[in-house]
Amino acid sequence: MIRTEGVTDVTEETFEAEVLGSALPVLVQFTADWCGPCRQLAPVLGESAREEAGRIRIVQLDVDREPGIPVRYGVLATPTLMVFRAGEPVRSIVGARPKRKLLQELADVLDPGLTGP
């Protein structure tokens, strides 16, 4: 698995507690060792995890080692970034992004008051 400082690895065994049960929104990167764009995204997610700590958690799940979760949520490509809030998926982004673009796409998740309840 791609190791990224500040990003927690989750498995099928820990997904419910780490993602669905989180009080904070959680960004899940569905990743794989062979995925080039996932490697490009790793430093972006690591920086974002440190800078946005307390507003969003960032975790990663290896689609080859843990195939059940990606199937459950209809993940067909890597990297797919899926944001969960209160145990429900609220946003899905496919493909790598520069940090600025990613944070723009996540602005309403990071600051829910921007779009209302």
Side-chain angles (χ1 to χ4, degrees):
M1 170 155 323
I2 300 168
R3 300 282 176 219
T4 305
E5 185 179 332
V7 176
T8 304
D9 296 336
V10 294
T11 64
E12 291 185 21
E13 294 170 350
T14 63
F15 189 82
E16 185 169 341
E18 295 283 337
V19 176
L20 303 181
S22 176
L24 290 175
V26 181
L27 174 84
V28 180
Q29 178 193 18
F30 292 90
T31 187
D33 288 337
W34 47 263
C35 172
C38 298
R39 292 184 186 283
Q40 292 174 328
L41 195 55
V44 169
L45 295 179
E47 286 178 27
S48 299
R50 288 186 298 278
E51 292 172 6
E52 302 300 332
R55 295 185 349 149
I56 191 167
R57 292 191 64 230
I58 300 178
V59 302
Q60 64 183 8
L61 184 132
D62 187 301
V63 298
D64 292 328
R65 294 187 180 121
E66 309 291 340
I69 305 277
V71 168
R72 182 185 322 163
Y73 291 101
V75 173
L76 301 175
T78 57
T80 291
L81 304 174
M82 193 170 289
V83 179
F84 290 79
R85 182 186 282 143
E88 296 295 325
V90 296
R91 170 81 37 80
S92 184
I93 301 167
V94 179
R97 307 274 192 286
K99 184 172 107 179
R100 193 184 84 177
K101 175 75 171 152
L102 177 62
L103 292 177
Q104 285 175 344
E105 291 184 52
L106 296 175
D108 62 324
V109 173
L110 294 172
D111 294 309
L114 293 177
T115 58

